[in-house]
Amino acid sequence: MAGRYDRAVTIYSPDGHLLQVEYAQEAVRKGSTVIGLCTTNSIVLGMEKKNVNTLQEERTVRKICMLDDHVVMTFAGLTADARIIVSRAQAEAQSHRLNFEKPVSVEYITRFIAQMKQKYTQSNGRRPFGLSCLVGGFDEDGTPHLFQTEPSGIFYEWKASGTGRSGALARAHMEKHADEILASADKPMATLKHVVRTLVSSATLNQNQLEVAVLEHKQPLRMIDHQVVADLVRDVHLEMEEEVKQRTRKTPRP
Amino acid sequence: MAGRYDRAVTIYSPDGHLLQVEYAQEAVRKGSTVIGLCTTNSIVLGMEKKNVNTLQEERTVRKICMLDDHVVMTFAGLTADARIIVSRAQAEAQSHRLNFEKPVSVEYITRFIAQMKQKYTQSNGRRPFGLSCLVGGFDEDGTPHLFQTEPSGIFYEWKASGTGRSGALARAHMEKHADEILASADKPMATLKHVVRTLVSSATLNQNQLEVAVLEHKQPLRMIDHQVVADLVRDVHLEMEEEVKQRTRKTPRP
Amino acid sequence: MAGRYDRAVTIYSPDGHLLQVEYAQEAVRKGSTVIGLCTTNSIVLGMEKKNVNTLQEERTVRKICMLDDHVVMTFAGLTADARIIVSRAQAEAQSHRLNFEKPVSVEYITRFIAQMKQKYTQSNGRRPFGLSCLVGGFDEDGTPHLFQTEPSGIFYEWKASGTGRSGALARAHMEKHADEILASADKPMATLKHVVRTLVSSATLNQNQLEVAVLEHKQPLRMIDHQVVADLVRDVHLEMEEEVKQRTRKTPRP
Amino acid sequence: MAGRYDRAVTIYSPDGHLLQVEYAQEAVRKGSTVIGLCTTNSIVLGMEKKNVNTLQEERTVRKICMLDDHVVMTFAGLTADARIIVSRAQAEAQSHRLNFEKPVSVEYITRFIAQMKQKYTQSNGRRPFGLSCLVGGFDEDGTPHLFQTEPSGIFYEWKASGTGRSGALARAHMEKHADEILASADKPMATLKHVVRTLVSSATLNQNQLEVAVLEHKQPLRMIDHQVVADLVRDVHLEMEEEVKQRTRKTPRP
Amino acid sequence: MAGRYDRAVTIYSPDGHLLQVEYAQEAVRKGSTVIGLCTTNSIVLGMEKKNVNTLQEERTVRKICMLDDHVVMTFAGLTADARIIVSRAQAEAQSHRLNFEKPVSVEYITRFIAQMKQKYTQSNGRRPFGLSCLVGGFDEDGTPHLFQTEPSGIFYEWKASGTGRSGALARAHMEKHADEILASADKPMATLKHVVRTLVSSATLNQNQLEVAVLEHKQPLRMIDHQVVADLVRDVHLEMEEEVKQRTRKTPRP
Amino acid sequence: MAGRYDRAVTIYSPDGHLLQVEYAQEAVRKGSTVIGLCTTNSIVLGMEKKNVNTLQEERTVRKICMLDDHVVMTFAGLTADARIIVSRAQAEAQSHRLNFEKPVSVEYITRFIAQMKQKYTQSNGRRPFGLSCLVGGFDEDGTPHLFQTEPSGIFYEWKASGTGRSGALARAHMEKHADEILASADKPMATLKHVVRTLVSSATLNQNQLEVAVLEHKQPLRMIDHQVVADLVRDVHLEMEEEVKQRTRKTPRP
Amino acid sequence: MAGRYDRAVTIYSPDGHLLQVEYAQEAVRKGSTVIGLCTTNSIVLGMEKKNVNTLQEERTVRKICMLDDHVVMTFAGLTADARIIVSRAQAEAQSHRLNFEKPVSVEYITRFIAQMKQKYTQSNGRRPFGLSCLVGGFDEDGTPHLFQTEPSGIFYEWKASGTGRSGALARAHMEKHADEILASADKPMATLKHVVRTLVSSATLNQNQLEVAVLEHKQPLRMIDHQVVADLVRDVHLEMEEEVKQRTRKTPRP
């Protein structure tokens, strides 16, 4: 019966759902996994990396963009939609700097993106953006913030979140280790390892399938060196094997 | 047969219903419960709190917004829709201040929200807002008012009302205790307790699932401390158990 | 077969009906009953009152609005639609005062409302207003007028009429007692009683379910005191019982 | 199969019909009967009168309007549509007076109405006007003219015509008596009687169900006194009975 | 299967047809027959005359209009559509006179009409004009021209053509007698007789069902006197009977 | 299944086709055949001639138009569509002359036509032009060019091409004789014969069914005299018979 | 079930796909193969050549266009769509030169094309461009870049890529020989051979079915001479045969 109510964003199903918005969310769930962490002084983003051809420029495949010097965005879902969102948000950030002589706050630009998404869920002849965004960056006073927006236009602030194919698993994994993550929020290497462990264990990625980026206050975005990532992946694998062993040991033989 | 008349807000069913508006109301009935009380000198709002992740910023999850210094709004339904309503109402309140050099009255801004909702029930290519709002605040002379608007664009003023998943139950509960509620309208703690009791008994929430906010004249919005809420919840539970016991006692054993 | 021709106001059924307009009329027939009387020097409106919660502000539940100092409107049907009609009519009345330096006549503002309704029956992508209005008031020379408009945009002037759930019954009842009503058109109390009797007998309302308002020339709208209404209801009930008895007496026992 | 081609004025059926226009004509055929006569110095209109309630203002029920001092219109079909046509035609007549410093001719204003109707038969998202109009009046030189327009936008000039429920019968009746009608075109009472006889015999109306209006050059519209109409009706009935008798007499008994 | 491709002018059927345009042509084929002849110094138009009521003004029933002093148009199809075409063409002719200080050529105004028709075959939300036009007149140098346009927007110039119900038959008849027609192109009476014979034999009309009009250079349009037409019809009938007899004689009895 | 994807130019079928564009091409394939040759100093166009009535002006039946003094166009498909294309291209050529003080190049005006066609394949509410055009003419330096555009908006330059009912056959025929055609590109009579032979053998036309036009640099368009064409047709027929004989002779009797 | 969700770009299927965009990609997969290589100092494009008629101007058949002096584009898919993209990109490049007094970068103009494509995937009443583009050229500092955009609006940078009918095979072939390709990126002849070998082996084209173009910094586009291409094709064939032999030799006879 869904079929009767899912042809336009402008109609509700009898039980109050906007099915086209939910299908757009499905496009997000098909996207590659991305996660974000907000530490005491940085935003750390981990991304599932598509198999890049030797002949392909890796830079253009990356799902990570600066919205302004101090705000970075990654996303899961339709890449072409993302480019539209990014270019409008960049323009808004520029215009904000010109009009108010100061940079946008992270919440301001997130709200801008979220309202743009909401509009596309209420007008006929348009479709919702098939896109979930992680927006991270620094307010003028240097405090970092991380937000996530959905196709419906809702957004929340997070200390750590994930989206895309294994987004739910990643979030669950981080929630489980929330204490450790929050505790090490001021230790860069520990944070990197949390990001790597989350991706490795929830999306079962190997060292070539993941990428990590770090944004620090008044610093350019830094892609973590492939070797560093590879080492972290190896460490995580060792730890995971160790854990399995210990769990096996604890289980008494019958 | 409904299926034939429920694809657009611009058609009536043969028995005179606007089914898309009713489905939008269904989206409201799926939303988390909120209630509001208008005392002699304050607006008290009680809200069902979603399970917040440890890693999630609680602030952005809250379904409560200031429309101006003296008007607060909470809602049940589609959060993204709410953000649109809020941001337009905020702009209207600002513009009113500029043009008339005085703040909007609570009824004025409610009427603004309600007409915006009605428009979306009469034009093709748009859908009704999936949103029921509780708008509370103070007129210039300091008298508090509480209004509720629905997706259809109707609105009423209340001393106490509720909406969302358990909205009807909450309203029934408060109606039943109307005398006590009105009698204690000038006693802050008693009012808080009424709010807590209503949420606990109609939506069966525990101390972590509810939040209470108070707006007083010329004061910023105050979120009631979690401990205070927890204590009230405990008291309410004790009272409820006591009631059950008394009722049991009164029922003579056969 | 109706189903094929009732999806838009812009198509006729093969037998020349505009079914969407008729369904809007159905929304009116679902509305609470209102009646109006035009006496020699006043407009008297009687309204079925919805069950008001103790916690609800009665004022905002009332289906009665001033369009200008000298014109009052009540209605049956979709309340949110009514608010739109009312606010546009108020604006028109204001603008008329400014442009012509005199108040609108009752017919002028009725015609304005009726044409607005008609437009919504002839344009695609809009739905007819689900609203029947009673518009009463005074022309500049002090003569009172009472008009009724329907969703189709037709309007007529009446000495007394009714609309909504029991509108047809009320009209029939008043038509039956037309002579008495016209005879007592200059006796305020008698007129009030006619209004009460009509509502009580056609819509079978009790004293708490009805409200009466009176507009006199150059006077503010006056809601009749609840006690006065209650007394009238009691008198009417006594008279009705008496009538029944007499009828019974006249019928000879077999 | 009609059903496939009758949902929009913008499509033809395979045999070249515009079905929505024909359905609008059906709305006309459901309207109350009106007839018009153009004498040597007057326009005489006869109208089927709806059963007016004692409490209804007869004036607003009348389907007769002045488009300007010298042009009168009556109609069969949707009354709300008529009001739109009337108010636009009145505005056009006013504007013509201002721009050209002379009144519109009867043909000019008829053509204006007819083109307005045609437009609504060729644009999507609009429906044809459900209205057939009789437009009568005087050109500047005092010659009277009577026109009839249909929902399709066609119009013709007539010495006498009729439309609405019994329009075809009335026209046939007048055509049968065309010689008498034309012969008595300068005798007011005879013309009135023709109008009455036509309505009585084709629409089988009694004296309370018909109304007659006369427009003479440089005179205000005159509604014929009810008593005069009643007398004419009685005369007509007597004559009709006489005719029946004579016919019976002529038929030889077997 | 046609049914799938004939709901809009903006779609082709799989075999490349625009079915709505063909259905509009069908509306033309239902119209009354008209024919036109272009002689060396005049345009002669023959028209099937609808049964005019005694009470109807013959003038307004005539399907013949001047587009300017020197151009005349007749048509088959929807009369209301024709009025629109005529009034726009008249305006264009006027505007051309003002802008270029000379009258339009016959081809210019035909092209104007044809393009207007074409536009209505290519835009959604509009329907093709249900109209075939014969446009005849004189260029500035006095040479007469006769054009025919169809609903699709095509147009051709003719020495003689016909359209409407019996248009194809009339054209065939004239084509068969093309030599005689061209030979007598400078003999007014012979030309009139050709027109009458064509209508009588292809549309089987009697003397009351046809009308003939002649436009000569710098002369007003002249309707041929009814008696002249009647005499021509009688002559034609005699000749036709004679022909039949001769053919019978030639056929040897078996 | 095609039926599901062929109702609008704005949807693709699952295998990537735009069916409405293909159906428009079908309208072209129903059109009368036209061919074009680009010689070293002229454009020669051959056209299938519809059976012209004796009473029809041949000029207006011709499917050949000058877009400017130096560019000629012929076409296959919907004639009314062609007129629109022609008149817009003529306006563009005029405007180009005014703005740039030199005539358009043949490619420029072809590109203009092609883009106009493409636009009608990508916007809803419009249909593709049912038209294939051959556009020939001279650039400023006197070099001749011949282009062909299709309903989809594609265009190519040709030395010789054809379109319409027998367009594919004509093209195949010319391709087969490409060497002869190119070799005789500077011999006018030989070129004319190629055109005639192509039409005669691919579309099996007789001498009355074809027309040939020649455009030379800085010369007006020249229609080849009917007698010349007739002689060429006779020659071609003789040659064709001769060929058949030779082929028969070569085939050894069994 | 796809059929329910593939009629508009503005709706998602329940599993989050935009089917119309995927069908447009199908139109690309039907297009002729093109490949591109970005060497250290040039862009080399190889294109499958359609069978060109002897009488067709090869130039207009070529699917290769300069967007500016320093940027070249080739494509697979709908040629008419390509022309629109090309002409808008050319205009943008011109306007960029005027406004910023320097040429566009290759990424800038690619992004422009990609956003134009994305817009056509999100608005009702439009269809996605059926076009995959290879855009190659030089930035101001002389570094060459090669980008590929798809109907959805996504784009990536490549050292070597291909699209169209055998695009996937070509890409796979080049990926397999990535090392050789990158190693010889500064040897013009070797690069040409890579392009030829890729087309020959993946699309199995012969020497007449392929074309190669080279763009070098500050040089006009150079089409590689047919003989050079033919020699390369012959060499490639020899090498391929040799390879087959060697592989056969290595396989030991049983």
Side-chain angles (χ1 to χ4, degrees), chain C residues 214-226:
Chain C
V214 174
L215 184 70
E216 281 169 306
H217 194 38
K218 296 192 184 278
Q219 303 291 327
L221 184 73
R222 192 157 44 92
M223 297 305 298
I224 298 302
D225 187 81
H226 182 68

Side-chain angles (χ1 to χ4, degrees), chain A residues 224-250:
Chain A
I224 299 301
D225 186 82
H226 180 68
Q227 193 51 50
V228 176
V229 172
D231 291 349
L232 285 169
V233 169
R234 205 198 43 223
D235 291 0
V236 165
H237 276 142
L238 290 177
E239 286 171 25
M240 283 164 75
E241 281 163 29
E242 192 59 28
E243 263 177 62
V244 172
K245 274 186 216 154
Q246 293 197 349
R247 236 178 298 154
T248 322
R249 242 173 269 158
K250 281 174 187 161

Side-chain angles (χ1 to χ4, degrees), chain A residues 41 61 140 194 198 218 228 231 247 251:
Chain A
N41 54 10
V61 181
E140 251 195 317
H194 282 307
T198 302
K218 296 192 183 280
V228 176
D231 291 349
R247 236 178 298 154
T251 324

Side-chain angles (χ1 to χ4, degrees), chain E residues 4 14 27 33 36 41 57 62-63 71 84 89 96-97 103 120-121 127 137 164 168 186 195-196 206 246-247 254:
Chain E
R4 296 181 154 182
T33 314
N41 54 8
E57 275 298 318
R62 268 184 207 140
K63 292 176 181 276
V71 189
I84 297 301
H96 190 279
R97 265 182 200 278
Y120 279 73
T121 73
R127 60 171 175 81
D186 53 350
V195 165
V196 167
N206 65 39
Q246 293 195 348
R247 236 179 298 154

Side-chain angles (χ1 to χ4, degrees), chain F residues 18 29 69 76 142 151 180:
Chain F
L18 291 168
R29 266 190 290 272
D69 293 351
E180 301 165 50

